mmCIF file of all heavy atoms in Angstrom:
data_model
loop_
_atom_site.group_PDB
_atom_site.id
_atom_site.type_symbol
_atom_site.label_atom_id
_atom_site.label_comp_id
_atom_site.label_asym_id
_atom_site.label_seq_id
_atom_site.Cartn_x
_atom_site.Cartn_y
_atom_site.Cartn_z
ATOM 1 N N ASP A 19 12.045 17.261 6.414
ATOM 2 C CA ASP A 19 10.946 16.307 6.332
ATOM 3 C C ASP A 19 10.383 16.170 4.924
ATOM 4 O O ASP A 19 9.406 15.464 4.712
ATOM 5 C CB ASP A 19 9.834 16.693 7.306
ATOM 6 C CG ASP A 19 9.228 18.049 6.991
ATOM 7 O OD1 ASP A 19 9.835 18.815 6.223
ATOM 8 O OD2 ASP A 19 8.142 18.336 7.526
ATOM 9 N N ASP A 33 0.876 14.428 -2.239
ATOM 10 C CA ASP A 33 -0.012 13.553 -2.999
ATOM 11 C C ASP A 33 0.694 12.900 -4.201
ATOM 12 O O ASP A 33 0.085 12.626 -5.222
ATOM 13 C CB ASP A 33 -1.251 14.310 -3.464
ATOM 14 C CG ASP A 33 -0.912 15.440 -4.425
ATOM 15 O OD1 ASP A 33 0.275 15.835 -4.513
ATOM 16 O OD2 ASP A 33 -1.840 15.947 -5.085
ATOM 17 N N ALA A 48 7.568 8.551 -6.212
ATOM 18 C CA ALA A 48 7.911 8.976 -7.568
ATOM 19 C C ALA A 48 7.364 10.370 -7.834
ATOM 20 O O ALA A 48 6.200 10.661 -7.533
ATOM 21 C CB ALA A 48 7.350 7.998 -8.591
ATOM 22 N N VAL A 57 3.877 4.546 -16.809
ATOM 23 C CA VAL A 57 2.452 4.359 -17.095
ATOM 24 C C VAL A 57 2.270 3.070 -17.885
ATOM 25 O O VAL A 57 1.344 2.304 -17.658
ATOM 26 C CB VAL A 57 1.880 5.575 -17.855
ATOM 27 C CG1 VAL A 57 0.487 5.283 -18.388
ATOM 28 C CG2 VAL A 57 1.858 6.785 -16.936
ATOM 29 N N VAL A 124 -13.464 -17.076 -3.445
ATOM 30 C CA VAL A 124 -13.680 -15.677 -3.053
ATOM 31 C C VAL A 124 -13.976 -14.826 -4.281
ATOM 32 O O VAL A 124 -14.904 -14.015 -4.284
ATOM 33 C CB VAL A 124 -12.469 -15.129 -2.266
ATOM 34 C CG1 VAL A 124 -12.546 -13.621 -2.101
ATOM 35 C CG2 VAL A 124 -12.353 -15.808 -0.909
ATOM 36 N N PRO A 130 -15.746 -8.466 -8.964
ATOM 37 C CA PRO A 130 -14.788 -7.376 -9.194
ATOM 38 C C PRO A 130 -13.344 -7.735 -8.835
ATOM 39 O O PRO A 130 -12.403 -7.141 -9.357
ATOM 40 C CB PRO A 130 -15.311 -6.242 -8.307
ATOM 41 C CG PRO A 130 -16.774 -6.505 -8.179
ATOM 42 C CD PRO A 130 -16.895 -8.011 -8.155
ATOM 43 N N SER A 148 -15.763 -5.529 15.139
ATOM 44 C CA SER A 148 -17.083 -5.272 14.539
ATOM 45 C C SER A 148 -17.041 -4.340 13.323
ATOM 46 O O SER A 148 -18.088 -3.857 12.885
ATOM 47 C CB SER A 148 -18.063 -4.709 15.573
ATOM 48 O OG SER A 148 -18.206 -5.611 16.642
ATOM 49 N N GLY A 173 1.475 -3.275 23.617
ATOM 50 C CA GLY A 173 0.992 -4.401 24.410
ATOM 51 C C GLY A 173 0.376 -5.501 23.563
ATOM 52 O O GLY A 173 0.621 -5.607 22.363
ATOM 53 N N LEU A 191 -10.771 6.545 3.600
ATOM 54 C CA LEU A 191 -10.694 5.965 2.261
ATOM 55 C C LEU A 191 -11.874 6.458 1.440
ATOM 56 O O LEU A 191 -13.007 6.464 1.917
ATOM 57 C CB LEU A 191 -10.720 4.434 2.325
ATOM 58 C CG LEU A 191 -9.486 3.732 2.877
ATOM 59 C CD1 LEU A 191 -9.693 2.220 2.838
ATOM 60 C CD2 LEU A 191 -8.225 4.110 2.128
#
Side-chain angles (χ1 to χ4, degrees):
D19 62 345
D33 63 345
V57 169
V124 168
S148 301
L191 289 181

